[in-house]
PDB file of all heavy atoms in Angstrom:
ATOM      1  N   VAL T 204     -16.382 -21.698 -61.853  1.00  0.00           N
ATOM      2  CA  VAL T 204     -16.311 -21.207 -60.462  1.00  0.00           C
ATOM      3  C   VAL T 204     -15.083 -21.664 -59.735  1.00  0.00           C
ATOM      4  O   VAL T 204     -14.393 -20.941 -59.032  1.00  0.00           O
ATOM      5  CB  VAL T 204     -17.570 -21.620 -59.696  1.00  0.00           C
ATOM      6  CG1 VAL T 204     -17.469 -21.229 -58.211  1.00  0.00           C
ATOM      7  CG2 VAL T 204     -18.820 -20.971 -60.288  1.00  0.00           C
ATOM      8  N   ARG T 205     -14.727 -22.952 -59.968  1.00  0.00           N
ATOM      9  CA  ARG T 205     -13.518 -23.504 -59.330  1.00  0.00           C
ATOM     10  C   ARG T 205     -12.252 -22.712 -59.766  1.00  0.00           C
ATOM     11  O   ARG T 205     -11.490 -22.297 -58.901  1.00  0.00           O
ATOM     12  CB  ARG T 205     -13.312 -24.963 -59.672  1.00  0.00           C
ATOM     13  CG  ARG T 205     -12.172 -25.621 -58.892  1.00  0.00           C
ATOM     14  CD  ARG T 205     -11.840 -27.002 -59.503  1.00  0.00           C
ATOM     15  NE  ARG T 205     -11.366 -26.870 -60.888  1.00  0.00           N
ATOM     16  CZ  ARG T 205     -10.113 -26.516 -61.245  1.00  0.00           C
ATOM     17  NH1 ARG T 205      -9.244 -26.137 -60.295  1.00  0.00           N
ATOM     18  NH2 ARG T 205      -9.784 -26.456 -62.514  1.00  0.00           N
ATOM     19  N   ARG T 206     -12.102 -22.458 -61.107  1.00  0.00           N
ATOM     20  CA  ARG T 206     -10.972 -21.724 -61.580  1.00  0.00           C
ATOM     21  C   ARG T 206     -10.993 -20.288 -61.013  1.00  0.00           C
ATOM     22  O   ARG T 206      -9.926 -19.735 -60.665  1.00  0.00           O
ATOM     23  CB  ARG T 206     -10.958 -21.683 -63.088  1.00  0.00           C
ATOM     24  CG  ARG T 206     -10.530 -22.988 -63.709  1.00  0.00           C
ATOM     25  CD  ARG T 206     -10.066 -22.826 -65.162  1.00  0.00           C
ATOM     26  NE  ARG T 206     -11.076 -22.134 -65.974  1.00  0.00           N
ATOM     27  CZ  ARG T 206     -12.046 -22.732 -66.707  1.00  0.00           C
ATOM     28  NH1 ARG T 206     -12.090 -24.084 -66.658  1.00  0.00           N
ATOM     29  NH2 ARG T 206     -12.862 -22.052 -67.414  1.00  0.00           N
ATOM     30  N   GLY T 207     -12.208 -19.693 -61.008  1.00  0.00           N
ATOM     31  CA  GLY T 207     -12.336 -18.354 -60.478  1.00  0.00           C
ATOM     32  C   GLY T 207     -11.898 -18.215 -59.043  1.00  0.00           C
ATOM     33  O   GLY T 207     -11.256 -17.287 -58.642  1.00  0.00           O
ATOM     34  N   VAL T 208     -12.361 -19.214 -58.231  1.00  0.00           N
ATOM     35  CA  VAL T 208     -12.010 -19.191 -56.832  1.00  0.00           C
ATOM     36  C   VAL T 208     -10.489 -19.425 -56.609  1.00  0.00           C
ATOM     37  O   VAL T 208      -9.887 -18.748 -55.808  1.00  0.00           O
ATOM     38  CB  VAL T 208     -12.842 -20.257 -56.046  1.00  0.00           C
ATOM     39  CG1 VAL T 208     -12.363 -20.377 -54.657  1.00  0.00           C
ATOM     40  CG2 VAL T 208     -14.317 -19.826 -56.078  1.00  0.00           C
ATOM     41  N   GLU T 209      -9.963 -20.359 -57.372  1.00  0.00           N
ATOM     42  CA  GLU T 209      -8.503 -20.641 -57.235  1.00  0.00           C
ATOM     43  C   GLU T 209      -7.660 -19.395 -57.598  1.00  0.00           C
ATOM     44  O   GLU T 209      -6.733 -19.051 -56.894  1.00  0.00           O
ATOM     45  CB  GLU T 209      -8.097 -21.809 -58.164  1.00  0.00           C
ATOM     46  CG  GLU T 209      -8.550 -23.131 -57.657  1.00  0.00           C
ATOM     47  CD  GLU T 209      -7.964 -23.524 -56.344  1.00  0.00           C
ATOM     48  OE1 GLU T 209      -6.761 -23.285 -56.126  1.00  0.00           O
ATOM     49  OE2 GLU T 209      -8.732 -24.036 -55.477  1.00  0.00           O
ATOM     50  N   ALA T 210      -8.068 -18.731 -58.694  1.00  0.00           N
ATOM     51  CA  ALA T 210      -7.359 -17.498 -59.111  1.00  0.00           C
ATOM     52  C   ALA T 210      -7.546 -16.425 -58.037  1.00  0.00           C
ATOM     53  O   ALA T 210      -6.594 -15.638 -57.756  1.00  0.00           O
ATOM     54  CB  ALA T 210      -7.855 -17.034 -60.458  1.00  0.00           C
ATOM     55  N   ALA T 211      -8.754 -16.330 -57.484  1.00  0.00           N
ATOM     56  CA  ALA T 211      -9.037 -15.264 -56.458  1.00  0.00           C
ATOM     57  C   ALA T 211      -8.229 -15.520 -55.205  1.00  0.00           C
ATOM     58  O   ALA T 211      -7.729 -14.609 -54.598  1.00  0.00           O
ATOM     59  CB  ALA T 211     -10.533 -15.302 -56.129  1.00  0.00           C
ATOM     60  N   ARG T 212      -8.077 -16.802 -54.821  1.00  0.00           N
ATOM     61  CA  ARG T 212      -7.240 -17.137 -53.627  1.00  0.00           C
ATOM     62  C   ARG T 212      -5.800 -16.688 -53.844  1.00  0.00           C
ATOM     63  O   ARG T 212      -5.194 -16.125 -52.934  1.00  0.00           O
ATOM     64  CB  ARG T 212      -7.324 -18.655 -53.379  1.00  0.00           C
ATOM     65  CG  ARG T 212      -8.642 -19.121 -52.858  1.00  0.00           C
ATOM     66  CD  ARG T 212      -8.624 -20.635 -52.690  1.00  0.00           C
ATOM     67  NE  ARG T 212      -7.670 -21.070 -51.715  1.00  0.00           N
ATOM     68  CZ  ARG T 212      -7.456 -22.359 -51.372  1.00  0.00           C
ATOM     69  NH1 ARG T 212      -8.233 -23.317 -51.954  1.00  0.00           N
ATOM     70  NH2 ARG T 212      -6.564 -22.692 -50.438  1.00  0.00           N
ATOM     71  N   LYS T 213      -5.321 -16.910 -55.080  1.00  0.00           N
ATOM     72  CA  LYS T 213      -3.912 -16.487 -55.344  1.00  0.00           C
ATOM     73  C   LYS T 213      -3.803 -14.970 -55.288  1.00  0.00           C
ATOM     74  O   LYS T 213      -2.815 -14.441 -54.675  1.00  0.00           O
ATOM     75  CB  LYS T 213      -3.527 -17.026 -56.743  1.00  0.00           C
ATOM     76  CG  LYS T 213      -2.038 -16.727 -57.166  1.00  0.00           C
ATOM     77  CD  LYS T 213      -1.808 -17.370 -58.508  1.00  0.00           C
ATOM     78  CE  LYS T 213      -0.302 -17.123 -58.870  1.00  0.00           C
ATOM     79  NZ  LYS T 213       0.022 -15.752 -59.129  1.00  0.00           N
ATOM     80  N   SER T 214      -4.737 -14.260 -55.862  1.00  0.00           N
ATOM     81  CA  SER T 214      -4.673 -12.786 -55.771  1.00  0.00           C
ATOM     82  C   SER T 214      -4.851 -12.298 -54.369  1.00  0.00           C
ATOM     83  O   SER T 214      -4.208 -11.295 -53.958  1.00  0.00           O
ATOM     84  CB  SER T 214      -5.780 -12.216 -56.707  1.00  0.00           C
ATOM     85  OG  SER T 214      -5.519 -12.457 -58.039  1.00  0.00           O
ATOM     86  N   PHE T 215      -5.745 -12.942 -53.624  1.00  0.00           N
ATOM     87  CA  PHE T 215      -5.957 -12.548 -52.198  1.00  0.00           C
ATOM     88  C   PHE T 215      -4.637 -12.674 -51.412  1.00  0.00           C
ATOM     89  O   PHE T 215      -4.330 -11.831 -50.562  1.00  0.00           O
ATOM     90  CB  PHE T 215      -7.015 -13.448 -51.607  1.00  0.00           C
ATOM     91  CG  PHE T 215      -7.430 -13.085 -50.213  1.00  0.00           C
ATOM     92  CD1 PHE T 215      -8.109 -11.894 -49.983  1.00  0.00           C
ATOM     93  CD2 PHE T 215      -7.237 -13.921 -49.122  1.00  0.00           C
ATOM     94  CE1 PHE T 215      -8.530 -11.527 -48.724  1.00  0.00           C
ATOM     95  CE2 PHE T 215      -7.639 -13.589 -47.884  1.00  0.00           C
ATOM     96  CZ  PHE T 215      -8.283 -12.377 -47.623  1.00  0.00           C
ATOM     97  N   ARG T 216      -3.821 -13.669 -51.732  1.00  0.00           N
ATOM     98  CA  ARG T 216      -2.557 -13.857 -51.063  1.00  0.00           C
ATOM     99  C   ARG T 216      -1.542 -12.827 -51.465  1.00  0.00           C
ATOM    100  O   ARG T 216      -0.722 -12.408 -50.668  1.00  0.00           O
ATOM    101  CB  ARG T 216      -2.015 -15.262 -51.271  1.00  0.00           C
ATOM    102  CG  ARG T 216      -2.823 -16.386 -50.679  1.00  0.00           C
ATOM    103  CD  ARG T 216      -2.013 -17.737 -50.701  1.00  0.00           C
ATOM    104  NE  ARG T 216      -1.594 -18.083 -52.049  1.00  0.00           N
ATOM    105  CZ  ARG T 216      -2.294 -18.876 -52.837  1.00  0.00           C
ATOM    106  NH1 ARG T 216      -3.446 -19.416 -52.415  1.00  0.00           N
ATOM    107  NH2 ARG T 216      -1.854 -19.204 -54.046  1.00  0.00           N
ATOM    108  N   GLU T 217      -1.579 -12.452 -52.742  1.00  0.00           N
ATOM    109  CA  GLU T 217      -0.422 -11.728 -53.358  1.00  0.00           C
ATOM    110  C   GLU T 217      -0.707 -10.242 -53.569  1.00  0.00           C
ATOM    111  O   GLU T 217       0.246  -9.423 -53.526  1.00  0.00           O
ATOM    112  CB  GLU T 217      -0.028 -12.368 -54.635  1.00  0.00           C
ATOM    113  CG  GLU T 217       0.437 -13.830 -54.481  1.00  0.00           C
ATOM    114  CD  GLU T 217       0.707 -14.514 -55.821  1.00  0.00           C
ATOM    115  OE1 GLU T 217       0.522 -13.839 -56.867  1.00  0.00           O
ATOM    116  OE2 GLU T 217       1.118 -15.674 -55.786  1.00  0.00           O
ATOM    117  N   VAL T 218      -1.966  -9.871 -53.823  1.00  0.00           N
ATOM    118  CA  VAL T 218      -2.269  -8.468 -54.166  1.00  0.00           C
ATOM    119  C   VAL T 218      -2.235  -7.585 -52.906  1.00  0.00           C
ATOM    120  O   VAL T 218      -2.639  -7.962 -51.814  1.00  0.00           O
ATOM    121  CB  VAL T 218      -3.637  -8.392 -54.863  1.00  0.00           C
ATOM    122  CG1 VAL T 218      -4.129  -6.960 -54.922  1.00  0.00           C
ATOM    123  CG2 VAL T 218      -3.593  -9.017 -56.249  1.00  0.00           C
ATOM    124  N   THR T 219      -1.709  -6.386 -53.114  1.00  0.00           N
ATOM    125  CA  THR T 219      -1.686  -5.416 -52.027  1.00  0.00           C
ATOM    126  C   THR T 219      -3.096  -4.977 -51.730  1.00  0.00           C
ATOM    127  O   THR T 219      -3.899  -4.579 -52.596  1.00  0.00           O
ATOM    128  CB  THR T 219      -0.855  -4.151 -52.423  1.00  0.00           C
ATOM    129  OG1 THR T 219       0.482  -4.560 -52.684  1.00  0.00           O
ATOM    130  CG2 THR T 219      -0.886  -3.142 -51.318  1.00  0.00           C
ATOM    131  N   ILE T 220      -3.484  -5.025 -50.432  1.00  0.00           N
ATOM    132  CA  ILE T 220      -4.752  -4.565 -49.957  1.00  0.00           C
ATOM    133  C   ILE T 220      -4.572  -3.527 -48.874  1.00  0.00           C
ATOM    134  O   ILE T 220      -3.832  -3.771 -47.881  1.00  0.00           O
ATOM    135  CB  ILE T 220      -5.618  -5.736 -49.395  1.00  0.00           C
ATOM    136  CG1 ILE T 220      -5.889  -6.777 -50.505  1.00  0.00           C
ATOM    137  CG2 ILE T 220      -6.925  -5.226 -48.805  1.00  0.00           C
ATOM    138  CD1 ILE T 220      -6.656  -7.992 -50.061  1.00  0.00           C
ATOM    139  N   ASP T 221      -5.148  -2.346 -49.057  1.00  0.00           N
ATOM    140  CA  ASP T 221      -5.028  -1.290 -48.083  1.00  0.00           C
ATOM    141  C   ASP T 221      -6.349  -0.570 -47.931  1.00  0.00           C
ATOM    142  O   ASP T 221      -7.383  -1.068 -48.417  1.00  0.00           O
ATOM    143  CB  ASP T 221      -3.885  -0.335 -48.420  1.00  0.00           C
ATOM    144  CG  ASP T 221      -4.056   0.320 -49.748  1.00  0.00           C
ATOM    145  OD1 ASP T 221      -5.216   0.415 -50.226  1.00  0.00           O
ATOM    146  OD2 ASP T 221      -3.047   0.774 -50.367  1.00  0.00           O
ATOM    147  N   ALA T 222      -6.357   0.574 -47.336  1.00  0.00           N
ATOM    148  CA  ALA T 222      -7.564   1.335 -47.084  1.00  0.00           C
ATOM    149  C   ALA T 222      -8.300   1.707 -48.386  1.00  0.00           C
ATOM    150  O   ALA T 222      -9.552   1.925 -48.326  1.00  0.00           O
ATOM    151  CB  ALA T 222      -7.281   2.544 -46.245  1.00  0.00           C
ATOM    152  N   SER T 223      -7.620   1.778 -49.481  1.00  0.00           N
ATOM    153  CA  SER T 223      -8.286   2.125 -50.727  1.00  0.00           C
ATOM    154  C   SER T 223      -8.742   0.905 -51.552  1.00  0.00           C
ATOM    155  O   SER T 223      -9.252   1.027 -52.617  1.00  0.00           O
ATOM    156  CB  SER T 223      -7.344   2.938 -51.609  1.00  0.00           C
ATOM    157  OG  SER T 223      -6.197   2.233 -51.927  1.00  0.00           O
ATOM    158  N   GLY T 224      -8.575  -0.294 -50.989  1.00  0.00           N
ATOM    159  CA  GLY T 224      -9.057  -1.479 -51.617  1.00  0.00           C
ATOM    160  C   GLY T 224      -7.992  -2.417 -52.118  1.00  0.00           C
ATOM    161  O   GLY T 224      -6.775  -2.348 -51.670  1.00  0.00           O
ATOM    162  N   ALA T 225      -8.293  -3.297 -53.074  1.00  0.00           N
ATOM    163  CA  ALA T 225      -7.374  -4.304 -53.638  1.00  0.00           C
ATOM    164  C   ALA T 225      -6.703  -3.663 -54.853  1.00  0.00           C
ATOM    165  O   ALA T 225      -7.437  -3.263 -55.800  1.00  0.00           O
ATOM    166  CB  ALA T 225      -8.075  -5.552 -53.960  1.00  0.00           C
ATOM    167  N   HIS T 226      -5.360  -3.667 -54.879  1.00  0.00           N
ATOM    168  CA  HIS T 226      -4.632  -3.037 -55.984  1.00  0.00           C
ATOM    169  C   HIS T 226      -4.359  -4.125 -57.107  1.00  0.00           C
ATOM    170  O   HIS T 226      -3.247  -4.491 -57.335  1.00  0.00           O
ATOM    171  CB  HIS T 226      -3.296  -2.486 -55.517  1.00  0.00           C
ATOM    172  CG  HIS T 226      -3.526  -1.262 -54.609  1.00  0.00           C
ATOM    173  ND1 HIS T 226      -3.262   0.015 -55.020  1.00  0.00           N
ATOM    174  CD2 HIS T 226      -4.029  -1.136 -53.381  1.00  0.00           C
ATOM    175  CE1 HIS T 226      -3.589   0.890 -54.052  1.00  0.00           C
ATOM    176  NE2 HIS T 226      -4.018   0.181 -53.032  1.00  0.00           N
ATOM    177  N   LEU T 227      -5.436  -4.515 -57.788  1.00  0.00           N
ATOM    178  CA  LEU T 227      -5.345  -5.531 -58.792  1.00  0.00           C
ATOM    179  C   LEU T 227      -4.465  -5.073 -59.961  1.00  0.00           C
ATOM    180  O   LEU T 227      -3.728  -5.824 -60.574  1.00  0.00           O
ATOM    181  CB  LEU T 227      -6.720  -5.941 -59.303  1.00  0.00           C
ATOM    182  CG  LEU T 227      -7.590  -6.728 -58.310  1.00  0.00           C
ATOM    183  CD1 LEU T 227      -9.050  -6.725 -58.767  1.00  0.00           C
ATOM    184  CD2 LEU T 227      -7.091  -8.162 -58.186  1.00  0.00           C
ATOM    185  N   ALA T 228      -4.592  -3.805 -60.309  1.00  0.00           N
ATOM    186  CA  ALA T 228      -3.857  -3.235 -61.455  1.00  0.00           C
ATOM    187  C   ALA T 228      -2.346  -3.422 -61.303  1.00  0.00           C
ATOM    188  O   ALA T 228      -1.617  -3.570 -62.273  1.00  0.00           O
ATOM    189  CB  ALA T 228      -4.218  -1.793 -61.660  1.00  0.00           C
ATOM    190  N   ASP T 229      -1.841  -3.321 -60.084  1.00  0.00           N
ATOM    191  CA  ASP T 229      -0.425  -3.457 -59.818  1.00  0.00           C
ATOM    192  C   ASP T 229       0.099  -4.830 -60.242  1.00  0.00           C
ATOM    193  O   ASP T 229       1.279  -5.000 -60.490  1.00  0.00           O
ATOM    194  CB  ASP T 229      -0.120  -3.210 -58.323  1.00  0.00           C
ATOM    195  CG  ASP T 229      -0.378  -1.785 -57.922  1.00  0.00           C
ATOM    196  OD1 ASP T 229      -0.558  -0.935 -58.799  1.00  0.00           O
ATOM    197  OD2 ASP T 229      -0.438  -1.500 -56.701  1.00  0.00           O
ATOM    198  N   GLU T 230      -0.809  -5.784 -60.299  1.00  0.00           N
ATOM    199  CA  GLU T 230      -0.444  -7.164 -60.665  1.00  0.00           C
ATOM    200  C   GLU T 230      -0.864  -7.458 -62.069  1.00  0.00           C
ATOM    201  O   GLU T 230      -0.898  -8.646 -62.441  1.00  0.00           O
ATOM    202  CB  GLU T 230      -1.078  -8.189 -59.671  1.00  0.00           C
ATOM    203  CG  GLU T 230      -0.738  -7.989 -58.229  1.00  0.00           C
ATOM    204  CD  GLU T 230       0.779  -8.174 -57.970  1.00  0.00           C
ATOM    205  OE1 GLU T 230       1.368  -9.001 -58.617  1.00  0.00           O
ATOM    206  OE2 GLU T 230       1.306  -7.346 -57.102  1.00  0.00           O
ATOM    207  N   GLY T 231      -1.211  -6.453 -62.807  1.00  0.00           N
ATOM    208  CA  GLY T 231      -1.626  -6.640 -64.206  1.00  0.00           C
ATOM    209  C   GLY T 231      -3.013  -7.233 -64.326  1.00  0.00           C
ATOM    210  O   GLY T 231      -3.326  -7.864 -65.326  1.00  0.00           O
ATOM    211  N   LEU T 232      -3.851  -7.048 -63.327  1.00  0.00           N
ATOM    212  CA  LEU T 232      -5.180  -7.619 -63.317  1.00  0.00           C
ATOM    213  C   LEU T 232      -6.276  -6.616 -63.400  1.00  0.00           C
ATOM    214  O   LEU T 232      -7.393  -6.808 -62.995  1.00  0.00           O
ATOM    215  CB  LEU T 232      -5.340  -8.462 -62.052  1.00  0.00           C
ATOM    216  CG  LEU T 232      -4.360  -9.596 -61.824  1.00  0.00           C
ATOM    217  CD1 LEU T 232      -4.636 -10.304 -60.490  1.00  0.00           C
ATOM    218  CD2 LEU T 232      -4.470 -10.592 -62.971  1.00  0.00           C
ATOM    219  N   ALA T 233      -6.000  -5.439 -63.996  1.00  0.00           N
ATOM    220  CA  ALA T 233      -7.001  -4.353 -64.021  1.00  0.00           C
ATOM    221  C   ALA T 233      -8.081  -4.726 -65.036  1.00  0.00           C
ATOM    222  O   ALA T 233      -7.872  -5.402 -66.030  1.00  0.00           O
ATOM    223  CB  ALA T 233      -6.365  -3.066 -64.436  1.00  0.00           C
ATOM    224  N   ARG T 234      -9.314  -4.248 -64.768  1.00  0.00           N
ATOM    225  CA  ARG T 234     -10.354  -4.419 -65.692  1.00  0.00           C
ATOM    226  C   ARG T 234     -10.078  -3.512 -66.935  1.00  0.00           C
ATOM    227  O   ARG T 234      -9.224  -2.636 -66.834  1.00  0.00           O
ATOM    228  CB  ARG T 234     -11.694  -3.984 -65.087  1.00  0.00           C
ATOM    229  CG  ARG T 234     -12.197  -4.997 -64.046  1.00  0.00           C
ATOM    230  CD  ARG T 234     -13.554  -4.553 -63.451  1.00  0.00           C
ATOM    231  NE  ARG T 234     -14.039  -5.583 -62.559  1.00  0.00           N
ATOM    232  CZ  ARG T 234     -14.810  -6.611 -62.906  1.00  0.00           C
ATOM    233  NH1 ARG T 234     -15.176  -6.734 -64.153  1.00  0.00           N
ATOM    234  NH2 ARG T 234     -15.195  -7.482 -62.004  1.00  0.00           N
ATOM    235  N   PRO T 235     -10.725  -3.779 -68.060  1.00  0.00           N
ATOM    236  CA  PRO T 235     -10.414  -2.979 -69.271  1.00  0.00           C
ATOM    237  C   PRO T 235     -10.575  -1.518 -68.995  1.00  0.00           C
ATOM    238  O   PRO T 235     -11.495  -1.053 -68.295  1.00  0.00           O
ATOM    239  CB  PRO T 235     -11.455  -3.480 -70.276  1.00  0.00           C
ATOM    240  CG  PRO T 235     -11.781  -4.895 -69.843  1.00  0.00           C
ATOM    241  CD  PRO T 235     -11.719  -4.793 -68.310  1.00  0.00           C
ATOM    242  N   SER T 236      -9.680  -0.730 -69.633  1.00  0.00           N
ATOM    243  CA  SER T 236      -9.717   0.747 -69.445  1.00  0.00           C
ATOM    244  C   SER T 236     -10.852   1.346 -70.247  1.00  0.00           C
ATOM    245  O   SER T 236     -11.271   2.487 -70.021  1.00  0.00           O
ATOM    246  CB  SER T 236      -8.410   1.337 -69.926  1.00  0.00           C
ATOM    247  OG  SER T 236      -8.181   1.039 -71.254  1.00  0.00           O
ATOM    248  N   ALA T 237     -11.374   0.616 -71.230  1.00  0.00           N
ATOM    249  CA  ALA T 237     -12.505   1.095 -72.037  1.00  0.00           C
ATOM    250  C   ALA T 237     -13.344  -0.100 -72.475  1.00  0.00           C
ATOM    251  O   ALA T 237     -12.822  -1.214 -72.610  1.00  0.00           O
ATOM    252  CB  ALA T 237     -11.967   1.823 -73.257  1.00  0.00           C
ATOM    253  N   THR T 238     -14.637   0.103 -72.620  1.00  0.00           N
ATOM    254  CA  THR T 238     -15.522  -0.930 -73.135  1.00  0.00           C
ATOM    255  C   THR T 238     -16.351  -0.378 -74.275  1.00  0.00           C
ATOM    256  O   THR T 238     -16.531   0.854 -74.406  1.00  0.00           O
ATOM    257  CB  THR T 238     -16.477  -1.491 -72.091  1.00  0.00           C
ATOM    258  OG1 THR T 238     -17.309  -0.414 -71.595  1.00  0.00           O
ATOM    259  CG2 THR T 238     -15.730  -2.063 -70.892  1.00  0.00           C
ATOM    260  N   TRP T 239     -16.794  -1.227 -75.171  1.00  0.00           N
ATOM    261  CA  TRP T 239     -17.690  -0.806 -76.224  1.00  0.00           C
ATOM    262  C   TRP T 239     -18.610  -1.960 -76.566  1.00  0.00           C
ATOM    263  O   TRP T 239     -18.430  -3.068 -76.081  1.00  0.00           O
ATOM    264  CB  TRP T 239     -16.927  -0.341 -77.469  1.00  0.00           C
ATOM    265  CG  TRP T 239     -16.036  -1.402 -78.040  1.00  0.00           C
ATOM    266  CD1 TRP T 239     -16.400  -2.405 -78.867  1.00  0.00           C
ATOM    267  CD2 TRP T 239     -14.623  -1.577 -77.811  1.00  0.00           C
ATOM    268  NE1 TRP T 239     -15.299  -3.206 -79.191  1.00  0.00           N
ATOM    269  CE2 TRP T 239     -14.235  -2.666 -78.561  1.00  0.00           C
ATOM    270  CE3 TRP T 239     -13.705  -0.867 -77.076  1.00  0.00           C
ATOM    271  CZ2 TRP T 239     -12.903  -3.119 -78.564  1.00  0.00           C
ATOM    272  CZ3 TRP T 239     -12.353  -1.304 -77.076  1.00  0.00           C
ATOM    273  CH2 TRP T 239     -11.987  -2.423 -77.810  1.00  0.00           C
TER     274      TRP T 239
END
């Protein structure tokens, strides 16, 4: 949880946030495009 929160704080500071949400993919943080 500590590492998760620290990483989330960094993304919160740096990731673009607009009316469509948080643009995690722009920072290479997208969830997998496919799962199996």
Side-chain angles (χ1 to χ4, degrees):
V204 173
R205 185 193 64 78
R206 286 199 305 268
V208 171
E209 287 298 317
R212 290 177 62 180
K213 182 175 185 294
S214 293
F215 186 65
R216 293 193 303 267
E217 299 175 358
V218 166
T219 299
I220 296 176
D221 58 23
S223 61
H226 291 253
L227 289 165
D229 294 346
E230 303 298 323
L232 302 177
R234 288 181 177 271
S236 58
T238 61
W239 59 81

